Amino acid sequence: MSKIKVGVVGTGFIGPAHIEALRRLPNVEVVALCEVNQELADQKAAELGIPVGCTFENLLKMDEIQCIHICTPNFLHYSQSKAALEAGKHVVCEKPLSKDLHEAKELVEIAEKSGLVNAVHFNLRYYPMVRQMKVMREKGELGEVFSIIGSYLQDWLFLDTDYNWRLEPDKSGDSRAIADIGSHLMDIIEYVTGLKTVELLADFNTVHDIRKKPKKAIATYSGVELGPDDYEDVAINTEDHANVLLRFDNGNAGSITVSQVSAGRKNQLKVEISGSKKTFAFNSERPNELWMGHREKANEVLMKDPSLVADGVQSVVSFPGGHNEGFPDTSKQLFKEVYAAIEEGKQPENPTFPTFADGYRELLVCERILESHRSRSWTTV
């Protein structure tokens, strides 16, 4: 088998997660790893067992590289995705697609004109039970959507000494919790229901107006504790917590809560979708279960099992019932669909995976949420 050669840019939390998922695909080989300078690139390539460490400029010159994964801080997504497309490479970009709508729109246009495969890493769509909800809704088993309640809760920024580049607007953008994890939640809501958000009202809260930034670099999620003299005070103006009321294009409503300061919630996405026939409830901390609620009979819990899920869901299930699949599997399943398209050499007419256009859509929703918070008023999407 001739394998598709891949280069990955960025070695924070998500870059190695991409690499691990890619290594589980038989038709893909990660051959190059890019960092900000050659010394760091060589170090990280050796640590991760990748043949070549390089700078981004040199990665673009490697003819054998067919696809590039952009896993860098948000402010680099636009320039690096654009350069990769212009170099004739297929692109998988982390979310958000860019820092603003103008950049995202340009990337969508460049990608469409090129015909190259383009994808955004909305991997949480790829929990099998998320796709199960989508397929059941498409078959009419949910009925008309009455209401949607969603939340995405984390605690990795619970303490005022918790710090990361995502706290700095010049690197991450003017929204943080909503743009970082709220975008996943909004993507799943629209993906499963087929509805579009048309109006919203947002309220943000910054719990820690001042945070203590380490004077030396520390890896996110490392749990390393420093002394008082090892920090400097930094003013924070992005949200730790957000509530958003939503109105959908079927006339019905919903709400979401997003927080990065909820003690004990490490990474919990929950969505409850109530329809005219039943209710779906999904919790990412129990990803192999789908709860279905009924009015006039006993409620049900469907366990992930390829012999029990709907047609159209089996393709994102790799193991038998009782063999749990979780977060690392979502990226593998997304990339499996992306690389099937890359084998064909072009973006499919109707992609099953999230594209740059989806990235633009979620950036649009997130920007309208930010506008609503600033204006303290309902805002049209």
Side-chain angles (χ1 to χ4, degrees), residues 277-278 292-300:
K277 296 182 179 179
K278 63 183 67 173
M292 290 178 283
H294 304 282
R295 169 65 186 269
E296 296 173 338
K297 66 176 184 177
N299 298 329
E300 303 171 86

Side-chain angles (χ1 to χ4, degrees), residues 5-9 11 19 23 29-35 37-56 58-62 64-65:
K5 304 295 194 296
V6 180
V8 175
V9 189
T11 60
I19 291 166
R23 282 175 165 159
E29 182 180 3
V30 181
V31 298
L33 183 64
C34 169
E35 259 298 348
N37 57 58
Q38 189 62 51
E39 181 182 8
L40 184 59
D42 289 339
Q43 174 194 331
K44 293 295 185 179
E47 289 175 0
L48 293 166
I50 294 172
V52 177
C54 61
T55 62
F56 185 69
N58 287 333
L59 179 66
L60 294 179
K61 297 174 185 176
M62 296 174 64
E64 67 271 31
I65 297 292

Side-chain angles (χ1 to χ4, degrees), residues 111-151:
E112 287 179 350
K113 192 175 295 184
S114 72
L116 293 164
V117 174
N118 58 91
V120 175
H121 191 234
F122 283 124
N123 59 305
L124 302 190
R125 287 187 185 190
Y126 282 79
Y127 284 116
M129 294 295 97
V130 170
R131 184 165 290 189
Q132 176 74 18
M133 289 190 290
K134 174 182 171 63
V135 172
M136 290 180 70
R137 188 271 304 169
E138 289 174 338
K139 291 181 175 180
E141 296 180 46
L142 176 64
E144 180 188 357
V145 175
F146 284 171
S147 70
I148 301 168
I149 303 169
S151 64

Side-chain angles (χ1 to χ4, degrees), residues 68-101:
I68 292 178
H69 284 238
I70 308 296
C71 303
T72 49
N74 301 354
F75 75 102
L76 293 170
H77 292 179
Y78 163 73
S79 61
Q80 291 180 338
S81 294
K82 180 179 179 180
L85 288 170
E86 290 177 342
K89 315 293 188 184
H90 306 289
V91 177
V92 177
C93 183
E94 264 303 322
K95 51 81 201 161
L97 181 57
S98 66
K99 280 181 62 181
D100 64 55
L101 281 174

Side-chain angles (χ1 to χ4, degrees), residues 341-353:
I342 290 174
E343 282 194 326
E344 297 297 319
K346 63 181 180 179
Q347 187 81 342
E349 192 168 319
N350 295 299
T352 53
F353 52 84

Side-chain angles (χ1 to χ4, degrees), residues 163-185:
Y163 202 87
N164 177 271
W165 60 264
R166 289 176 178 83
L167 292 155
E168 300 172 6
D170 63 324
K171 297 183 178 67
S172 66
D174 292 334
S175 171
R176 186 198 347 128
I178 284 291
D180 185 20
I181 56 177
S183 57
H184 274 297
L185 182 57

Side-chain angles (χ1 to χ4, degrees), residues 126-366:
Y126 282 79
Y127 284 116
M129 294 295 97
V130 170
R131 184 165 290 189
Q132 176 74 18
M133 289 190 290
K134 174 182 171 63
V135 172
M136 290 180 70
R137 188 271 304 169
E138 289 174 338
K139 291 181 175 180
E141 296 180 46
L142 176 64
E144 180 188 357
V145 175
F146 284 171
S147 70
I148 301 168
I149 303 169
S151 64
Y152 202 152
L153 309 179
Q154 298 177 331
D155 72 354
W156 69 286
L157 291 172
F158 178 71
L159 303 174
D160 66 353
T161 52
D162 292 326
Y163 202 87
N164 177 271
W165 60 264
R166 289 176 178 83
L167 292 155
E168 300 172 6
D170 63 324
K171 297 183 178 67
S172 66
D174 292 334
S175 171
R176 186 198 347 128
I178 284 291
D180 185 20
I181 56 177
S183 57
H184 274 297
L185 182 57
M186 292 301 301
D187 178 71
I188 282 179
I189 286 171
E190 295 195 344
Y191 172 71
V192 170
T193 65
L195 300 177
K196 294 294 184 185
T197 305
V198 295
E199 196 175 14
L200 51 84
L201 177 65
D203 183 40
F204 291 179
N205 184 30
T206 302
V207 174
H208 298 300
D209 295 320
I210 302 293
R211 285 186 180 268
K212 299 184 181 301
K213 180 179 180 179
K215 293 179 181 178
K216 59 182 180 181
I218 294 177
T220 306
Y221 309 118
S222 65
V224 173
E225 294 186 11
L226 303 176
D229 295 334
D230 295 321
Y231 296 99
E232 60 179 323
D233 287 348
V234 174
I236 302 298
N237 55 17
T238 54
E239 76 278 6
D240 291 317
H241 176 276
N243 294 310
V244 188
L245 297 178
L246 306 168
R247 184 72 62 181
F248 300 102
D249 56 0
N250 72 342
N252 289 327
S255 65
I256 62 168
T257 295
V258 176
S259 173
Q260 294 176 319
V261 290
S262 296
R265 295 302 186 193
K266 303 306 176 185
N267 189 52
Q268 184 197 69
L269 181 151
K270 294 177 73 174
V271 62
E272 186 156 317
I273 305 168
S274 295
S276 58
K277 296 182 179 179
K278 63 183 67 173
T279 294
F280 295 151
F282 172 79
N283 177 356
S284 69
E285 291 185 345
R286 302 178 68 90
N288 293 273
E289 301 175 7
L290 173 61
W291 183 89
M292 290 178 283
H294 304 282
R295 169 65 186 269
E296 296 173 338
K297 66 176 184 177
N299 298 329
E300 303 171 86
V301 176
L302 173 64
M303 302 296 292
K304 184 227 68 173
D305 185 322
S307 68
L308 298 176
V309 297
D311 293 341
V313 181
Q314 292 97 334
S315 64
V316 294
V317 178
S318 292
F319 299 101
H323 297 74
N324 288 339
E325 296 177 65
F327 179 83
D329 301 281
T330 61
S331 294
K332 182 193 77 170
Q333 300 295 356
L334 191 163
F335 297 159
K336 185 169 69 176
E337 293 183 353
V338 169
Y339 280 88
I342 290 174
E343 282 194 326
E344 297 297 319
K346 63 181 180 179
Q347 187 81 342
E349 192 168 319
N350 295 299
T352 53
F353 52 84
T355 66
F356 278 16
D358 294 298
Y360 175 87
R361 169 66 188 173
E362 291 317 311
L363 192 63
L364 171 64
V365 173
C366 289

